[in-house]
Amino acid sequence: MNTVILCGGLGTRLSEETTVRPKPMVEIGGKPILWHILKIYEKYGYNDFFLALGYKGEVIKDYFLNYHARMSDLSIRLKSGAITYSNPTAEDWNIGLIDTGANTMTGGRLLRLKDHLKKSGTFMLTYGDGVSNVNIEKLVQYHKSHKKIATVTAVRPPVRFGELKIESNQVTAFQEKPQAGEGWINGGFFVFEPEIFDFIEGDSTMLERAPLEGLSKAGELMAYYHDGFWQCMDTIRDKHTLEDLWAAGNAPWK
């Protein structure tokens, strides 16, 4: 099964990092967050990916063009330029790097991959800036069980500050940055049938607007509830949160 990663956004809220690289290439623990996302799918045996590129897509292309060399020992014949690779440790991933336009919206990026995906049946999609310990295999099983066009992973993100429960001015409970008690949101990690393309008009279509709203009205959008870890990387604060978890050996998505 193919997995699409949306990698084309500007990442303006993370401008400290994204002036020189696209957001999926911002590093956590010395590896791009994109690498971490691919590893999430790899854990469950999914190794076929399409990366929908846009802003600074050449940085992502260069990274994967040189990935095998980075992960191998090299012997170089300087006169001829011949290179011999040995002891490679690169992952067994098949990656399509597709330019979907600099200003294309999320739905439009997916639509531009239609010819690559439609004949292969069910496929997955997520954003290039969020990690989770969602069980991908259970997500896929759930999608197949309800036989609808689309499944979205619903998550409850952590609140930014500690939560206080107060009665008569007395703090009766304190929890530092708990998961939000209510308010499920779109956490990405979608599963789609090819009929999704019937709901997307063109480059200016945001996946999160007309397509998902239309699927919802048609009764074709189901939610897979994930109570575990989920964190997007919208701001430098989010990046530092993920970095701290990784450095402490406490990264739930690892």
Side-chain angles (χ1 to χ4, degrees):
M1 186 185 300
N2 291 310
T3 301
V4 175
I5 315 291
L6 297 175
C7 299
L10 296 176
T12 53
R13 286 184 288 177
L14 194 62
S15 59
E16 298 93 336
E17 294 275 352
T18 56
T19 54
V20 296
R21 72 189 90 186
K23 194 200 285 192
M25 294 303 294
V26 174
E27 293 186 353
I28 303 298
K31 296 283 190 180
I33 193 170
L34 175 59
W35 178 89
H36 292 267
I37 295 167
L38 298 178
K39 295 294 280 188
I40 293 169
Y41 286 94
E42 178 195 57
K43 175 181 178 180
Y44 296 95
Y46 297 103
N47 295 314
D48 299 311
F49 303 97
F50 285 101
L51 308 185
L53 308 182
Y55 173 72
K56 294 189 180 296
E58 68 278 2
V59 176
I60 299 176
K61 286 183 178 179
D62 289 345
Y63 177 77
F64 285 109
L65 277 172
N66 295 297
Y67 194 82
H68 182 73
R70 288 195 188 99
M71 304 300 288
S72 303
D73 296 332
L74 305 177
S75 297
I76 304 174
R77 299 277 297 189
L78 296 183
K79 187 172 183 178
S80 66
I83 302 174
T84 301
Y85 301 89
S86 60
N87 300 318
T89 58
E91 289 82 358
D92 187 19
W93 295 338
N94 301 307
I95 299 179
L97 299 134
I98 312 299
D99 183 1
T100 57
N103 300 309
T104 310
M105 297 292 102
T106 48
R109 294 191 190 283
L110 176 56
L111 185 61
R112 289 204 186 193
L113 297 177
K114 179 178 178 179
D115 290 343
H116 298 281
L117 297 167
K118 193 163 187 180
K119 293 181 181 179
S120 300
T122 308
F123 64 92
M124 293 181 283
L125 178 146
T126 197
Y127 304 104
D129 63 354
V131 289
S132 176
N133 61 353
V134 60
N135 187 311
I136 299 296
E137 194 55 51
K138 288 185 178 179
L139 168 65
V140 171
Q141 290 172 0
Y142 173 73
H143 174 80
K144 291 182 177 179
S145 72
H146 61 60
K147 303 185 186 304
K148 303 291 186 178
I149 294 175
T151 300
V152 57
T153 297
V155 300
R156 292 187 292 191
V159 298
R160 285 187 58 187
F161 306 103
E163 181 180 276
L164 303 178
K165 291 185 179 179
I166 303 172
E167 296 179 9
S168 300
N169 291 350
Q170 180 179 343
V171 177
T172 59
F174 179 90
Q175 189 175 7
E176 177 64 8
K177 297 182 181 178
Q179 292 296 116
E182 56 186 67
W184 294 92
I185 68 167
N186 165 22
F189 297 96
F190 296 92
V191 188
F192 289 125
E193 297 302 319
E195 287 81 2
I196 180 63
F197 295 113
D198 297 335
F199 291 79
I200 305 173
E201 291 188 0
D203 282 358
S204 62
T205 302
M206 292 182 64
L207 179 64
E208 302 78 12
R209 290 292 184 84
L212 293 184
E213 290 171 1
L215 286 166
S216 177
K217 291 177 182 178
E220 292 289 339
L221 177 62
M222 300 294 287
Y224 176 80
Y225 291 102
H226 175 61
D227 266 319
F229 177 84
W230 176 90
Q231 178 68 58
C232 64
M233 189 181 63
D234 276 342
T235 66
I236 198 68
R237 178 195 293 269
D238 297 331
K239 171 182 159 57
H240 290 161
T241 296
L242 294 172
E243 282 276 17
D244 291 346
L245 288 170
W246 187 267
N250 191 31
W253 71 92
K254 185 176 181 181

